[in-house]
Amino acid sequence: MVGQALAAKLAKMGHRVMVGTRSPSETLARSAPNAAGQPPLSAWLQENPAVHLGTYAEAAQLGAMVINATNGMGSLAALHQAGAANLSGKILIDIANPLDFSRGMPPSLSVSNTDSLAEQIQAAFPETRVVKTLNTVTAAIMVAPQLLANGEHTIFVSGNDPAARAQVSDWLKDWFGWKHILDLGDITSARGVEMYLPLWLRLWGACGTPMLNVRIVT
Ligand SMILES: NC(=O)c1ccc[n+]([C@@H]2O[C@H](COP(=O)([O-])OP(=O)(O)OC[C@H]3O[C@@H](n4cnc5c(N)ncnc54)[C@H](OP(=O)(O)O)[C@@H]3O)[C@@H](O)[C@H]2O)c1
């Protein structure tokens, strides 16, 4: 859902985009729509001819910037497949949530309190500039915040490199139209935005729609 939403939007804007997957041939062979009702990737790629499909390593090598939109339980393995050398020096936008569905619903967090998935990724790839963002909204809102309350709601950024946080904030504004971007500081602030997920899931239930977000006021 997330990878397709971001890839389609960025490709439409003229960026060269490659979606990485564990196995391009197995991914292409899938015939069912995804959880958002988007067509299977093979059909979707025909609708989005500017998006290319490759391995995680090929995608990471091609990208001047890399987005982690993998399942949180597999993110570290996926990024190791992408390869530290291919990620070195680059900004990595991390959207993944460490949701563990192995014991059913609701999911638990596989890491929390004193650590976060974003910190684990930063520790595993010290030469990469990890910026956590967009994980607190559903995929449709990530690329079109104006769909909700005229865009009057908040997205967060976390990361150790202030220049990378500023660059990602500019991209969120310029590419997707985010108006309210709150810089939370270093990567340990990702703990909070990942631990927001249990509340976000209950908000979805209470509101009857995932098309929701919060606005921070002081
Ligand atoms: N869906 C949303 O609206 C939303 C909103 C905010 C944040 N997020 C977060 O963004 C990430 C992507 O979410 P999503 O809903 O687009 O997709 P998803 O179902 O969580 O998984 C995305 C892809 O991750 C890949 N993957 C790599 N290693 C994996 C493993 N060990 N187990 C399972 N899948 C693995 C799979 O691609 P291949 O099989 O092709 O390799 C899969 O299609 C997740 O971390 C999610 O928590 C999602």
Side-chain angles (χ1 to χ4, degrees):
M1 275 178 72
V2 175
Q4 285 175 250
L6 285 153
K9 175 74 179 177
L10 292 171
K12 278 195 185 91
M13 295 174 68
H15 294 280
R16 201 162 157 229
V17 182
M18 181 177 279
V19 172
T21 167
R22 284 171 287 189
S23 164
S25 57
E26 281 178 32
T27 298
L28 281 175
R30 284 180 202 146
S31 56
N34 73 10
Q38 289 161 321
L41 214 76
S42 49
W44 179 85
L45 285 167
Q46 283 172 8
E47 290 167 21
N48 294 273
V51 178
H52 303 277
L53 186 70
T55 63
Y56 288 132
E58 288 166 339
Q61 193 174 28
L62 178 92
M65 177 274 284
V66 180
I67 297 171
N68 175 33
T70 59
N71 185 292
M73 300 302 287
S75 287
L76 281 165
L79 290 166
H80 281 297
Q81 283 177 40
N86 292 329
L87 297 169
S88 180
K90 295 179 184 175
I91 290 178
L92 175 73
I93 297 180
D94 173 36
I95 305 181
N97 284 310
L99 297 177
D100 178 358
F101 290 91
S102 62
R103 280 166 292 176
M105 288 294 280
S108 55
L109 295 167
S110 63
V111 54
S112 63
N113 294 323
T114 54
D115 199 2
S116 61
L117 177 60
E119 287 168 86
Q120 292 182 342
I121 294 171
Q122 184 62 83
F125 300 93
E127 305 301 325
T128 301
R129 297 181 289 159
V130 179
V131 177
K132 184 109 206 170
T133 190
L134 294 175
N135 67 307
T136 53
V137 291
T138 197
I141 296 176
M142 293 178 193
V143 296
Q146 61 281 2
L147 289 177
L148 201 62
N150 201 25
E152 299 299 329
H153 48 98
T154 307
I155 201 71
F156 308 102
V157 290
S158 306
N160 285 344
D161 182 340
R165 296 200 305 269
Q167 175 65 82
V168 171
S169 299
D170 285 347
W171 285 334
L172 293 175
K173 187 162 131 263
D174 297 344
W175 292 345
F176 310 135
W178 279 95
K179 297 186 204 173
H180 302 285
I181 302 161
L182 193 53
D183 184 335
L184 296 177
D186 74 80
I187 198 72
T188 62
S189 63
R191 295 172 195 177
V193 289
E194 291 181 9
M195 288 194 288
Y196 167 73
L197 258 291
L199 173 59
W200 184 89
L201 288 165
R202 297 309 292 246
L203 290 171
W204 179 359
C207 298
T209 173
M211 296 294 285
L212 67 94
N213 194 14
V214 292
R215 169 142 188 213
I216 304 304
V217 292
T218 56

